[in-house]
Amino acid sequence: MLDFFTIFSKGGLVLWCFQGVSDSCTGPVNALIRSVLLQERGGNNSFTHEALTLKYKLDNQFELVFVVGFQKILTLTYVDKLIDDVHRLFRDKYRTEIQQQSALSLLNGTFDFQNDFLRLLREAEESSKIRAPTTMKKFEDSEKAKKPVRSMIETRGEKPKEKAKNSKKKGAKKEGSDGPLAASKAPAAEKSGLPVGPENGELSKEELIRRKREEFIQKHGRGMDKSSKSMKSDAPKEKGKKAPRVWELGGCANKEVLDYSAPTTNGTPEAALSEDINLIRGTGPGGQLQDLDCSSSEDEGATPNSTKPRAPKGTLGGMFGMLKGLVGSKSLSREDMESVLDKMRDHLIAKNVAADIAVQLCESVANKLEGKVMGTFSTVTSTVKQALQESLVQILQPQRRVDMLRDIMDAQRRQRPYVVTFCGVNGVGKSTNLAKISFWLLENGFSVLIAACDTFRAGAVEQLRTHTRRLSALHPPEKHGGRTMVQLFEKGYGKDAAGIAMEAIACARNQGFDVVLVDTAGRMQDNAPLMTALAKLITVNTPDLVLFVGEALVGNEAVDQLVKFNRALADHSMAQTPRLIDGIVLTKFDTIDDKVGAAISMTYITSKPIVFVGTGQTYCDLRSLNAKAVVAALMKA
């Protein structure tokens, strides 16, 4: 049973609607438009909204959308056939009204389609019932029944045909080389008293091998014994020769010398820094995030070479090359776009886009362009490439935009700290990029409290303490009227991370800090106990922003990480509406040149924005995502 079936134009005019139940179809259809059609995610013609499953079909020639909705617990096999039949009949019946291409004509048009739809629905339901059940395959129809019984009987001692052929080939190759060996087998067999022949089978071969091994040991046994004795005697000498390495600047390796951390407690300022502040800070304005620049050195080197004169082509060949692939005012079909889409898919995968997402993107472009009428001098390649670029830009500009500075100022008016939690897998750069974001916030005049909730990794607290000392040197209290701008809150190792985060938030509220940055331990997406602990930390402390830190080097792994992180946060959360990832921090972007596909993969999977991009090792190496620059680098050959 269908809940609804509606037909509307891409401009938003509802042409006809069928209501199978009393509930309105406005909410599910609006969710489909926001989440799929506007976000260029039309690779799959199915969409799930709450308890409903929506299937849709796009008519790009007449700019129409056909949507059917039914309960997702039902398995309706006739829905695809129904939507195709309705699309075909509605387009043919009201072709003249739709071709006028004016909103007024569509509003004034009468689309009496109720009886036709009910007839098509009845036919589709009956066709699904009439379909005969599949019968099991009989033994007489199988390939095994066609073989004779004699071919399936194997006698003992005989080899199968394939093995016999292989043994014949090997025997033919070794005939010339195994002459003396074959001659020596006969006397060995005579000495052992065993007859040589096929009736003896594999026993004679094993006996011969054993006899040859004994003869070999008798001849060379003395030499082997001597060598083994010499090896045993040399072994302790080599161990005795090895001496511990002495470093030039090495000293006494005791605990006092190796302990570089000063005894500090929460709330006390860090010691002064003896390093060069300019090297730590980096170059560039720290308070303003610059747009990401994806141009590589290869592009700059290729610019002067592009001005070189090319070899002149023939007039006839150049004319045919220019006219090749012109569509000429006809509607595009799947066959026209198939070869171009295959090349585009391979190009996206080569640029580090996940394979499944590359397939879905190309499928979405095909659905968007199928049936669309092209201009006279438009090529299929240029049309598909332009549509793919528009889809990629739309994907990198998701529904919700994260503006941290605005949200922090709003939290200041409410007299509470703004809490950000960082999560991700091991080794992606959570602590380093947390320090970069801290520096960016300090440059904008906000005080920061860093909560060291990574109580598992050795050296995690010391790493944050070093960053805090450097940030304090860049923004000392003297420059801010005696106010401590950055401080570390830590309780050591082996403690509960959720409890430390709660105490840090309470400390920030009491001491008047503007922002709390919570650093968590790196964990793999398959580690259930650690994912449960992360879900507990987020549920108990309810941070304002949950940022997933991922590196730009991953390909298909990005999809697995984000899907399982969101699923684990949803499964292990105790809240009725679980808190999921709000944004992404993309790190190590300076190591990938133009292979920027991880940005597409992460944004496509989560529909969440990339808030920050890490591009280096200094505090100023933090950028905001420029969607057009990323797409240009992605589409570059």
Side-chain angles (χ1 to χ4, degrees):
M1 180 180 178
L2 301 181
D3 284 26
F4 64 88
F5 196 112
T6 180
I7 305 171
F8 58 92
S9 67
K10 290 187 177 180
L13 296 175
V14 179
L15 307 183
W16 178 82
C17 183
F18 165 77
Q19 287 284 143
V21 293
S22 58
D23 295 338
S24 175
C25 65
T26 306
V29 173
N30 286 339
L32 172 70
I33 294 172
R34 284 194 305 268
S35 303
V36 178
L37 300 182
L38 293 180
Q39 292 294 318
E40 302 290 345
R41 300 172 188 269
N44 188 8
N45 65 341
S46 180
F47 173 70
T48 302
H49 176 72
E50 295 178 354
L52 291 178
T53 296
L54 278 68
K55 288 202 171 185
Y56 60 94
K57 185 178 180 64
L58 303 178
D59 188 335
N60 297 302
Q61 183 177 0
F62 297 115
E63 301 290 328
L64 299 179
V65 183
F66 297 78
V67 182
V68 58
F70 55 92
Q71 296 294 321
K72 65 180 179 182
I73 61 173
L74 301 177
T75 305
L76 304 181
T77 58
Y78 60 85
V79 170
D80 292 329
K81 180 180 182 302
L82 174 66
I83 199 168
D84 290 337
D85 294 342
V86 170
H87 166 241
R88 192 181 304 108
L89 181 61
F90 188 86
R91 183 185 59 186
D92 296 342
K93 186 174 182 180
Y94 301 106
R95 183 182 294 269
T96 55
E97 288 88 342
I98 299 170
Q99 280 181 338
Q100 291 179 5
Q101 297 290 339
S102 63
L104 187 61
S105 62
L106 292 177
L107 286 172
N108 295 332
T110 56
F111 300 98
D112 188 9
F113 197 65
Q114 187 78 11
N115 297 329
D116 295 329
F117 174 77
L118 294 176
R119 176 177 58 81
L120 292 175
L121 178 60
R122 199 179 310 111
E123 292 175 358
E125 290 176 346
E126 290 174 356
S127 66
S128 63
K129 294 177 183 177
I130 294 172
R131 186 178 300 168
T134 56
T135 57
M136 292 183 65
K137 194 176 184 181
K138 295 181 180 180
F139 176 74
E140 290 78 8
D141 301 332
S142 63
E143 295 181 358
K144 194 173 183 180
K146 298 176 184 178
K147 294 181 179 180
V149 180
R150 185 178 298 175
S151 65
M152 291 186 282
I153 298 175
E154 294 183 3
T155 58
R156 189 175 182 182
E158 291 184 358
K159 298 180 180 179
K161 292 182 179 180
E162 294 181 359
K163 292 183 178 179
K165 288 179 183 178
N166 294 334
S167 62
K168 285 179 182 178
K169 291 180 181 178
K170 291 179 181 177
K173 291 179 181 178
K174 295 182 178 180
E175 276 180 2
S177 59
D178 293 349
L181 183 63
S184 65
K185 287 182 181 178
E190 290 174 1
K191 290 178 184 177
S192 61
L194 294 171
V196 180
E199 64 274 1
N200 196 27
E202 297 179 357
L203 227 113
S204 60
K205 293 180 181 179
E206 293 177 358
E207 186 69 22
L208 286 172
I209 292 169
R210 190 176 64 81
R211 295 276 183 181
K212 288 290 181 185
R213 188 180 293 116
E214 290 176 358
E215 292 176 4
F216 181 78
I217 292 171
Q218 289 176 1
K219 289 181 181 180
H220 305 281
R222 294 178 181 177
M224 292 176 65
D225 293 339
K226 291 178 182 178
S227 63
S228 62
K229 287 179 181 178
S230 64
M231 288 172 64
K232 289 179 181 177
S233 61
D234 292 343
K237 291 180 182 178
E238 290 178 1
K239 288 183 179 177
K241 287 180 182 178
K242 190 173 181 180
R245 180 177 295 180
V246 179
W247 299 94
E248 295 179 359
L249 300 177
C252 182
N254 52 26
K255 184 178 179 182
E256 288 75 11
V257 174
L258 294 178
D259 188 10
Y260 289 96
S261 58
T264 55
T265 56
N266 299 320
T268 60
E270 297 289 345
L273 189 70
S274 60
E275 302 176 65
D276 189 359
I277 296 179
N278 294 326
L279 293 177
I280 299 170
R281 184 188 186 279
T283 58
Q288 183 179 3
L289 286 180
Q290 298 178 351
D291 286 339
L292 184 66
D293 185 14
C294 294
S295 60
S296 60
S297 58
E298 295 179 1
D299 299 337
E300 298 172 0
T303 306
N305 296 333
S306 60
T307 58
K308 293 181 180 180
R310 297 180 179 178
K313 297 182 180 180
T315 308
L316 189 61
M319 183 64 68
F320 279 111
M322 184 179 67
L323 297 177
K324 183 182 179 181
L326 294 184
V327 180
S329 297
K330 75 164 188 176
S331 59
L332 275 174
S333 63
R334 288 262 178 175
E335 290 76 15
D336 298 332
M337 298 182 288
E338 186 174 0
S339 61
V340 181
L341 287 174
D342 289 343
K343 293 179 182 177
M344 291 291 179
R345 184 186 65 249
D346 296 340
H347 177 77
L348 290 176
I349 294 174
K351 293 285 187 176
N352 226 7
V353 178
D356 296 339
I357 293 174
V359 172
Q360 293 178 26
L361 283 171
C362 293
E363 188 68 24
S364 174
V365 171
N367 293 336
K368 181 181 178 181
L369 294 179
E370 186 179 8
K372 190 174 183 179
V373 178
M374 309 303 300
T376 306
F377 291 99
S378 297
T379 62
V380 178
T381 305
S382 63
T383 305
V384 172
K385 189 174 181 180
Q386 183 180 358
L388 183 60
Q389 285 179 341
E390 293 173 357
S391 300
L392 293 173
V393 171
Q394 191 66 36
I395 287 169
L396 289 174
Q397 295 173 346
Q399 307 169 16
R400 179 174 178 263
R401 181 178 176 84
V402 177
D403 192 348
M404 278 187 64
L405 299 181
R406 181 194 61 192
D407 297 340
I408 292 170
M409 288 187 285
D410 183 57
Q412 279 181 332
R413 286 192 291 270
R414 300 180 184 180
Q415 296 182 353
R416 66 173 185 86
Y418 184 82
V419 184
V420 183
T421 300
F422 295 81
C423 62
V425 300
N426 308 77
V428 294
K430 291 184 295 298
S431 302
T432 304
N433 285 274
L434 180 145
K436 293 181 184 179
I437 295 171
S438 302
F439 176 72
W440 173 66
L441 293 172
L442 292 171
E443 290 285 314
N444 283 280
F446 298 110
S447 58
V448 179
L449 179 67
I450 300 175
C453 296
D454 185 356
T455 61
F456 179 76
R457 177 173 64 91
V461 177
E462 286 76 14
Q463 182 183 5
L464 290 178
R465 184 179 292 124
T466 302
H467 283 303
T468 305
R469 187 168 63 248
R470 291 177 172 180
L471 292 170
S472 299
L474 291 169
H475 285 273
E478 294 79 17
K479 291 184 179 180
H480 300 275
R483 181 189 179 190
T484 303
M485 294 299 293
V486 58
Q487 185 175 308
L488 177 66
F489 187 91
E490 54 97 2
K491 291 293 183 180
Y493 295 98
K495 307 293 177 54
D496 181 30
I500 295 175
M502 183 181 293
E503 293 181 23
I505 295 171
C507 177
R509 187 182 292 110
N510 295 332
Q511 297 187 14
F513 281 94
D514 299 323
V515 186
V516 178
L517 301 182
V518 180
D519 183 32
T520 61
R523 64 205 74 208
M524 296 306 294
Q525 62 269 22
D526 300 320
N527 194 325
L530 289 179
M531 293 306 299
T532 306
L534 178 64
K536 175 188 173 184
L537 186 147
I538 293 174
T539 305
V540 169
N541 295 287
T542 59
D544 298 282
L545 189 64
V546 179
L547 293 178
F548 176 84
V549 184
E551 57 185 7
L553 303 170
V554 295
N556 293 327
E557 185 69 12
V559 178
D560 188 58
Q561 288 176 5
L562 281 165
V563 168
K564 290 187 177 179
F565 256 82
N566 265 334
R567 188 186 302 160
L569 291 177
D571 293 344
H572 300 302
S573 177
M574 296 174 286
Q576 187 175 2
T577 56
R579 183 67 180 277
L580 304 180
I581 293 168
D582 298 320
I584 300 168
V585 179
L586 199 59
T587 66
K588 306 177 185 178
F589 209 83
D590 54 320
T591 63
I592 57 170
D593 196 25
D594 59 348
K595 295 185 178 181
V596 295
I600 299 292
S601 301
M602 292 182 178
T603 314
Y604 191 92
I605 286 296
T606 59
S607 300
K608 302 299 180 184
I610 295 177
V611 186
F612 300 104
V613 180
T615 59
Q617 298 182 4
T618 63
Y619 290 145
C620 287
D621 293 328
L622 196 68
R623 301 285 185 270
S624 62
L625 188 73
N626 186 356
K628 293 183 179 178
V630 172
V631 172
L634 192 66
M635 298 302 293
K636 186 177 65 175

